[in-house]
Amino acid sequence: MDKFLVNGPCRIEGQVNIQGSKNAALPILASTILFDRPVIIKNLPRVRDIDTMLNLLKSLGLKVQLFKHKRTVRISNNKKLKFLASYSLVKTMRAGILVLGPMISKYHKSITSLPGGCLIGARPVNFHLNALKKLGMKYEIKKGYIHAKSKGKLKGAKIKFPKISVGATENSIIAACLAKGETILKNCAIEPEIKDLTNFLISGGAKIKWIGKRTCRIIGVDSLSGTEYSVMGDRIETGTFCVAATITNGDLRIKNFNPKIIQTEINILKKIGAKIKTSKDEIHIMGPKNIKNISSITTKEYPNFPTDLQAQFMVLLCKAKGRSVITESIFENRFMHVGELRRLGAKILIKENKAIIEGNTKFVGAELMSSDLRASVALVLAAIVSSGKSIINRIYHLDRGYENIEKKLQQIGVKIKRLT
Ligand code: EPZ
């Protein structure tokens, strides 16, 4: 199993290009099942979760052709779809559940594996299933699989999600594209990745309109035509590099990303002491000598602070002068990095869903274990500001969502090596 060796402390300086967004590309790829004509998707990130989604589409019978260093893909539907999304693929990536909506909408049947457990929280899929049921899907759970069918086309419906969910919003929007009549979805997630998905679907002929802050109207169409689309930049990778620059008193230009999308994070970083200049698709960030604490950050749905940056900001606040508190309100068990950060010297107390971070930490390198994607990158950030060597084990978690992170970090001054 690959590991990282980091020799700290390092200062970050230079320029980095942001990859395409993993969490936008995944639903976009799943939704290609709806299309009659070939679609071309550009700016894919070269990360493991994208490979898994492409393998899932291939296993269903879609034709997948990769070009241009695997950043562009052409996907065509050969009409002889297999309707089984297997456990072996869905268990490794929960976004596999996103093929259910398009399969039932286009082909009226599907056998999709339930994703199963997840380390960061229970993460059920009841909102997905309830919404699709309201659109006309019937289903039974047998031996860990969702056996689903519909009598012909799905029918438009009014659906209000009981709680905001990114995946359930995506599955429902995708399914409603080919349903009969009008669907109104209320209390939707409005993450930028969902807007990227709807822009993609609209480019293929879907009739989707955002008619209120969290309300989306979809008028079903008979079919979607071919289209060419470029995936947005990755906001979590961008936020991670912003933290890396801030925590190392660094000077970094982050390219190919629209700063307006991460205004909440930029405001917090400015409060902490970072100097930030932005233009249309660039962020220039300079870290302060002394990092200020923040009395309270709460993870919440977009446009609020994202749970996917909670672990990275915790590392940053370990270096602040004074106490900070982070409240995790999305997932029940997303503090797994805390135990590892303590091994480097962090003083963090957990009280239910709050992490109380004492600050002024002098990190000293150690051997560490990755637990999930964002926790792993937080350990890399901590290793960068630790004195001496750190080894980070099980970095396959990181490879799920960060493209070539060690190369990118090496180019901006980090002493990091992959040990295979
Ligand atoms: C998406 O997961 C992201 N994944 C996650 O990113 C991200 O952390 C999460 O949204 C929140 O922003 C992708 O986009 C592929 P949810 P998703 O449905 O869709 C509960 C990363 O690191 N819930 O918005 O699974 C759920 O348990 C990953 O890149 C139900 O109860 O998240 C959670 O507490 C990790 N029933 C909350 O809602 C449901 O049917 C929000 O989950 C669905 C969700």
Side-chain angles (χ1 to χ4, degrees), residues 365-381:
E367 185 156 358
L368 303 163
M369 194 65 81
S370 303
S371 51
D372 78 84
L373 169 58
R374 310 302 172 188
S376 320
V377 85
L379 299 185
V380 172
L381 292 172

Side-chain angles (χ1 to χ4, degrees), residues 22-24 26-27 49 93-95 97-98 118 120-129 163-170 189 191 193 235-236 300-302 306-308 329-332 334 372-374 401:
K22 164 181 88 77
N23 288 350
L26 289 171
D49 275 8
M93 186 195 63
R94 302 181 60 81
I97 189 71
L98 295 176
C118 175
I120 62 175
R123 302 184 77 185
V125 290
N126 52 330
F127 303 154
H128 301 237
L129 296 177
K163 188 178 159 190
I164 296 167
S165 157
V166 171
T169 303
E170 291 167 344
E191 268 59 8
E193 295 76 17
R235 86 187 144 104
I236 306 303
K300 238 173 167 291
E301 300 84 5
Y302 193 84
T307 175
D308 292 347
S329 84
I330 304 290
F331 292 113
E332 311 90 90
R334 215 174 192 183
D372 78 84
L373 169 58
R374 310 302 172 188

Side-chain angles (χ1 to χ4, degrees), residues 197-405:
L197 167 69
T198 54
N199 288 340
F200 165 68
L201 291 166
I202 291 166
S203 77
K207 290 199 173 143
I208 305 172
K209 213 168 177 180
W210 291 93
I211 54 173
K213 190 175 170 203
R214 291 196 180 274
T215 303
C216 181
R217 183 172 68 202
I218 303 127
I219 312 277
V221 294
D222 286 337
S223 63
L224 296 179
S225 57
T227 181
E228 205 173 302
Y229 192 80
S230 185
V231 175
M232 66 178 279
D234 196 301
R235 86 187 144 104
I236 306 303
E237 191 201 25
T238 303
T240 304
F241 277 107
C242 284
V243 171
T246 307
I247 202 172
T248 61
N249 184 21
D251 183 341
L252 186 66
R253 286 178 189 273
I254 299 171
K255 302 263 187 188
N256 303 335
F257 190 78
N258 173 3
K260 284 192 184 138
I261 294 173
I262 57 160
Q263 212 46 57
T264 303
E265 294 87 318
I266 286 182
N267 290 340
I268 294 176
L269 290 163
K270 281 184 178 167
K271 275 193 195 157
I272 283 171
K275 290 212 163 48
I276 300 177
K277 285 185 204 145
T278 58
S279 61
K280 201 171 131 250
D281 59 357
E282 184 185 304
I283 302 170
H284 181 192
I285 178 159
M286 282 163 287
K289 278 223 168 71
N290 295 311
I291 295 165
K292 291 183 202 142
N293 64 322
I294 287 271
S295 57
S296 161
I297 296 181
T298 302
T299 65
K300 238 173 167 291
E301 300 84 5
Y302 193 84
N304 299 295
F305 184 80
T307 175
D308 292 347
L309 284 173
Q310 178 254 106
Q312 300 88 315
F313 272 68
M314 190 177 295
V315 177
L316 182 56
L317 293 174
C318 283
K319 297 294 284 177
K321 283 206 159 182
R323 179 183 288 184
S324 308
V325 178
I326 299 185
T327 307
E328 171 58 57
S329 84
I330 304 290
F331 292 113
E332 311 90 90
N333 193 28
R334 215 174 192 183
F335 284 145
M336 278 168 304
H337 41 285
V338 170
E340 298 302 291
L341 293 178
R342 283 185 188 135
R343 298 191 60 251
L344 295 176
K347 288 181 212 84
I348 304 167
L349 184 72
I350 301 294
K351 274 194 181 165
E352 294 173 358
N353 66 342
K354 286 192 191 319
I356 300 142
I357 305 141
E358 284 309 333
N360 290 314
T361 302
K362 290 202 168 58
F363 284 125
V364 179
E367 185 156 358
L368 303 163
M369 194 65 81
S370 303
S371 51
D372 78 84
L373 169 58
R374 310 302 172 188
S376 320
V377 85
L379 299 185
V380 172
L381 292 172
I384 291 174
V385 285
S386 295
S387 51
K389 284 187 179 152
S390 295
I391 288 182
I392 299 147
N393 290 294
R394 296 200 184 162
I395 54 165
Y396 56 84
H397 290 291
L398 247 150
D399 294 332
R400 290 186 58 181
Y402 289 90
E403 176 180 327
N404 256 333
I405 187 149

